[in-house]
């Protein structure tokens, strides 16, 4: 319960009670921004209210001070090119501090052994396989054709296709192991509708169709193998 309260305080303080104009001011003035310290004060108040137990003051102290240090380092070190990277690093560090505090200041001991089972390891392997490895496999398959020539007039976001493919494969895999095959059909239909505008050039159409079938085929096969083995 304490861990959930700590995570709730973080979510409310970082995402609901921090207006975008505060973020912009902090990025501009960095450590001199009053909004940075108001932001930390809000986290302190949230922690006190949600925990509502004076004996848990170490949580409030450590998390608040670490939050100030982590946010301060982020504001000092980041630039326009690294802003996205530092955002995720920032959030990861906050979560790690919260989890670390929970296990250090409570009677709980963290033991990974019960979670390291054959099924969980197989699940992790399948999920990892469906991300970058399959993207590389598909890229290798398409080396046979000059894909850059087909897509040179396609004003799409950089690496958008790769991320879409990863997300769709993971979704298909989850649907398969959950036994919801109808959701796979819905996903294929939805993708077909959204990509309808691209189906003007025959070669590009064939490229999209082959890529979709390979991507879905690998995800479905992986899901079936996982279901059979578990």
């Amino acid at each position: 319960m304490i861990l959930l309260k700590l995570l709730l305080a973080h979510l409310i303080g970082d995402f609901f009670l921090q207006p975008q104009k505060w973020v912009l001011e902090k990025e501009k003035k960095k450590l001199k921004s009053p909004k940075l310290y108001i932001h930390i004060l809000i986290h302190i108040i949230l922690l006190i209210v949600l925990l509502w137990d004076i004996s848990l003051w170490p949580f409030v102290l450590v998390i608040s001070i670490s939050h100030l240090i982590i946010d301060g380092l982020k504001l000092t070190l980041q630039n326009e090119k690294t802003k996205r990277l530092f955002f995720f690093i920032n959030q990861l560090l906050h979560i790690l501090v919260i989890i670390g505090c929970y296990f250090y200041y409570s009677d709980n001991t963290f033991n990974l052994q019960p979670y390291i089972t054959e099924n969980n390891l197989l699940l992790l392997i399948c999920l990892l396989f469906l991300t970058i490895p399959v993207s590389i496999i598909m890229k290798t398959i398409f080396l046979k054709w000059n894909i850059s020539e087909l897509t040179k007039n396609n004003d799409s976001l950089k690496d958008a296709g790769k991320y879409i493919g990863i997300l769709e494969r993971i979704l298909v895999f989850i649907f398969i192991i959950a036994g919801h095959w109808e959701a796979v059909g819905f996903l294929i239909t939805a993708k077909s509708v959204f990509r309808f505008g691209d189906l003007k050039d025959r070669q590009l159409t064939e490229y999209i169709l082959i890529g979709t079938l390979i991507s879905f085929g690998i995800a479905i096969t992986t899901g079936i193998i996982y279901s059979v083995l578990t």
Side-chain angles (χ1 to χ4, degrees):
M1 179 64 75
I2 293 177
L3 179 59
L4 295 179
K5 290 180 178 179
L6 296 176
L7 292 173
L8 178 60
H10 175 72
L11 289 176
I12 295 174
D14 254 24
F15 297 99
F16 291 93
L17 297 182
Q18 182 174 214
Q20 183 61 23
K21 61 182 181 181
W22 286 19
V23 176
L24 296 175
E25 181 183 310
K26 289 195 299 179
E27 291 175 351
K28 182 180 179 180
K29 297 182 179 180
K30 302 185 183 304
L31 297 179
K32 295 181 180 179
S33 172
K35 297 298 189 297
L36 171 62
Y37 304 100
I38 295 175
H39 174 65
I40 301 302
L41 179 60
I42 288 174
H43 274 278
I44 293 174
I45 294 172
L46 284 169
L47 287 169
I48 293 173
V49 171
L50 289 175
L51 292 175
W52 205 250
D53 186 344
I54 195 171
S55 66
L56 299 177
W57 65 266
F59 289 101
V60 179
L61 181 64
V62 174
I63 292 175
S64 300
I65 293 176
S66 66
H67 201 108
L68 176 60
I69 295 173
I70 293 171
D71 277 13
L73 288 173
K74 171 178 174 287
L75 294 172
T76 304
L77 299 175
Q78 74 176 7
N79 54 48
E80 286 300 320
K81 292 183 178 180
T82 60
K83 185 183 296 186
R84 182 176 63 174
L85 173 63
F86 272 96
F87 168 79
F88 289 109
I89 293 176
N90 175 270
Q91 291 300 317
L92 176 61
L93 290 176
H94 287 320
I95 299 301
L96 288 177
V97 168
I98 289 172
I99 294 175
C101 281
Y102 171 70
F103 285 105
Y104 184 82
Y105 289 108
S106 64
D107 295 330
N108 298 278
T109 55
F110 186 58
N111 184 13
L112 278 175
Q113 198 59 39
Y115 303 100
I116 304 178
T117 63
E118 289 187 2
N119 287 352
N120 289 343
L121 287 176
L122 180 59
L123 178 63
L124 179 61
I125 290 171
C126 289
L127 289 173
L128 290 176
F129 170 70
L130 292 173
T131 57
I132 303 300
V134 174
S135 295
I136 295 175
I137 291 171
M138 294 184 63
K139 185 177 181 179
T140 304
I141 292 173
F142 284 114
L143 287 176
K144 180 178 179 180
W145 300 286
N146 188 2
I147 301 304
S148 60
E149 183 67 22
L150 292 177
T151 57
K152 65 180 182 180
N153 296 323
N154 188 3
D155 298 327
S156 63
L157 298 173
K158 183 181 178 181
D159 294 330
K162 181 177 74 174
Y163 295 129
I164 291 172
I166 290 173
L167 289 172
E168 71 184 16
R169 287 192 295 273
I170 291 176
L171 286 174
V172 169
F173 175 75
I174 293 173
F175 292 149
I176 296 298
I177 65 176
H180 293 290
W181 286 84
E182 70 282 0
V184 178
F186 174 79
L187 189 60
I188 295 175
T189 303
K191 183 175 182 180
S192 301
V193 171
F194 285 124
R195 295 306 297 266
F196 181 77
D198 295 329
L199 307 183
K200 298 175 182 178
D201 181 88
R202 179 172 179 175
Q203 290 184 333
L204 182 59
T205 301
E206 291 172 343
Y207 159 64
I208 293 173
L209 182 59
I210 293 171
T212 299
L213 291 176
I214 293 175
S215 183
F216 275 77
I218 292 175
I220 291 172
T221 302
T222 305
I224 293 174
I225 291 174
Y226 176 81
S227 299
V228 170
L229 294 179
T230 56

